[in-house]
Amino acid sequence: MQTPTTEHQRFLKKINNQLFIILLLMVACFFTWSENVAITRAIKVVGRMGVMISSIIVYYRIISYGSVNSLVYKNIFSPILYIAYLILGFISFSWSTNPGFSALQWFMTFQSFVFAYFFVKSLAILDVYFEGHSIRLYHLLGNTVFVLQLVFVIGMWTNPDVFFRLTDGGEEARLGGTLMNPNELGMLAGVGSACLIFDLYRFKNKVWTIIKIMIILYALYMTGSRSSLIGVLLIIFFHVNQTKRKGLKLGIIAVVLAIAPFAVYTVILKGGDQSRLEEVMSLTGRLPFWKALITEGLPREPLLGFGFMRIDYKEFFQSAHTYPGKMTHNTFMQVLMNLGFIGFTIVLFQVFFTVKSILSAQKELKLMLIGILIPILINSFTEFGIFGESNYGILFYQIIIFSIAFRNNNHLTRIQRIILQKKRPDMMGQFEFKN
């Protein structure tokens, strides 16, 4: 593997910082940083638009510096079916029970889709034209999560009224506050842990990485998110199973076995309280809500649903025996209600081809994408998820889709050859040329 020249290293350092900043800002724009609706909407719509444009600028900056767009598509069914899902969602404005809400949700999902396309394409171009560079998606995403979780850990001590959310009649305080749903914040912690574990493989000095992971896991514990805790435990055992170092494997297993019972008892079983256990068994009321959605709501609009991100004719769905809900707390149920069986079928095939493509990727990429997929998929069964209302789980899933969608085409066109000859004559021997 070649080491980039000093000039290239300066450029790559600048690009690394830019990619980190725009990813951090993109994820941060999903938080509710202000109680003022106008400010929140400006951050979530206008702010993300600015970050999306920035991702396009960074991509073309890489192209203009020393590369050409020689990427072609692979595993094409995953992005094509996702685009089909977006097209159906766009068409559904015509029958949506609230076209304005559907359009806003669709627009934010499309924003993150465009961002993910150019962000991942930038990384793919760097892999081709700057061999030996150190910019890695898992490092960028892991540090992004660390910074955001550190904000919450500091905030919980300096301003608990804002950073904690009281649930169950004020009996339980969960990290997240008014800024973010605790379960979504827990899912973010799972993604960050999955990514930073790869820095343990890569860096000789592991102390700082371990500190970052511990801070993230502390934030996860304070969210009280059961599903996210399960996700992190699965990620840890998944990585343990991959390592061939028996001492490391036994050490990690011993630590997990020592911590897991306490974490499971306090977070998942809620201290053994009988009333809370019954609540856990019903998934905090989700099971009867899902049953009512299928038996009462779905038969009203079975084929095409109620419109993008709509689950009823009214703002909230409610049956005689369930709480009122604006979303289903299950991403697949959400698709079934808002785009009917047609949208649900598209989504099932899309997920199938995405998972299939991940499993066929090269080892490091496969392990990283599975690590990211585990927490967002678990979250998808109890919260917004990868096909729900706008959230960063959707962004992470879109990044996964594009991470397995590009490959380099070694056959350059005549125009690409001329451009590359001018910018990077040192790269000419690595390509074949079309007439």
Side-chain angles (χ1 to χ4, degrees), residues 276-333:
R276 303 297 299 282
L277 283 176
E278 293 175 359
E279 176 186 292
V280 170
M281 294 305 294
S282 69
L283 296 179
T284 58
R286 288 176 175 84
L287 290 179
F289 186 68
W290 295 340
K291 181 180 178 181
L293 283 170
I294 293 175
T295 58
E296 300 176 32
L298 183 60
R300 300 172 193 164
E301 299 288 348
L303 287 180
L304 292 170
F306 296 95
F308 196 72
M309 295 306 142
R310 301 290 295 168
I311 65 172
D312 201 355
Y313 299 119
K314 305 180 294 294
E315 286 300 310
F316 293 87
F317 172 87
Q318 183 177 15
S319 75
H321 306 290
T322 66
Y323 58 82
K326 193 174 182 180
M327 64 106 169
T328 63
H329 290 279
N330 181 305
T331 203
F332 300 103
M333 187 77 71

Side-chain angles (χ1 to χ4, degrees), residues 124-368:
I125 284 288
L126 290 173
D127 288 341
V128 175
Y129 292 94
F130 298 92
E131 186 179 358
H133 75 89
S134 60
I135 302 173
R136 295 290 181 269
L137 173 60
Y138 55 76
H139 186 68
L140 295 170
L141 188 51
N143 283 331
T144 292
V145 173
F146 167 69
V147 169
L148 291 170
Q149 298 286 2
L150 184 61
V151 170
F152 277 79
V153 170
I154 294 173
M156 64 180 275
W157 292 105
T158 59
N159 196 347
D161 291 339
V162 172
F163 286 88
F164 273 116
R165 176 180 299 190
L166 297 178
T167 60
D168 298 295
E171 295 181 5
E172 182 181 12
R174 302 178 63 185
L175 188 63
T178 59
L179 307 178
M180 179 54 63
N181 180 304
N183 291 327
E184 298 293 311
L185 189 63
M187 179 266 284
L188 184 65
V191 170
S193 301
C195 291
L196 287 177
I197 284 174
F198 283 91
D199 279 348
L200 292 177
Y201 298 147
R202 188 166 64 137
F203 296 140
K204 291 183 179 179
N205 186 358
K206 306 180 189 305
V207 175
W208 177 230
T209 302
I210 292 173
I211 291 173
K212 288 192 284 188
I213 292 174
M214 295 305 294
I215 290 173
I216 290 174
L217 292 180
Y218 176 65
L220 167 63
Y221 173 75
M222 296 307 297
T223 66
S225 174
R226 296 180 287 264
S227 59
S228 300
L229 175 62
I230 293 171
V232 166
L233 292 176
L234 288 176
I235 291 168
I236 292 173
F237 280 113
F238 174 74
H239 280 280
V240 166
N241 192 50
Q242 300 299 317
T243 183
K244 295 180 181 179
R245 296 166 59 183
K246 292 184 178 179
L248 178 62
K249 182 180 291 189
L250 291 175
I252 294 175
I253 291 176
V255 172
V256 171
L257 290 178
I259 297 175
F262 171 75
V264 170
Y265 181 74
T266 55
V267 177
I268 297 179
L269 299 181
K270 300 298 181 182
D273 186 302
Q274 187 62 37
S275 62
R276 303 297 299 282
L277 283 176
E278 293 175 359
E279 176 186 292
V280 170
M281 294 305 294
S282 69
L283 296 179
T284 58
R286 288 176 175 84
L287 290 179
F289 186 68
W290 295 340
K291 181 180 178 181
L293 283 170
I294 293 175
T295 58
E296 300 176 32
L298 183 60
R300 300 172 193 164
E301 299 288 348
L303 287 180
L304 292 170
F306 296 95
F308 196 72
M309 295 306 142
R310 301 290 295 168
I311 65 172
D312 201 355
Y313 299 119
K314 305 180 294 294
E315 286 300 310
F316 293 87
F317 172 87
Q318 183 177 15
S319 75
H321 306 290
T322 66
Y323 58 82
K326 193 174 182 180
M327 64 106 169
T328 63
H329 290 279
N330 181 305
T331 203
F332 300 103
M333 187 77 71
Q334 186 81 7
V335 174
L336 186 61
M337 297 303 296
N338 68 59
L339 295 178
F341 280 107
I342 293 177
F344 184 71
T345 302
I346 292 173
V347 159
L348 285 184
F349 278 103
Q350 197 284 325
V351 173
F352 169 78
F353 282 110
T354 299
V355 173
K356 183 174 181 291
S357 300
I358 291 172
L359 296 178
S360 63
Q362 56 94 2
K363 185 176 180 181
E364 183 182 75
L365 179 62
K366 177 172 69 175
L367 294 180
M368 178 187 68

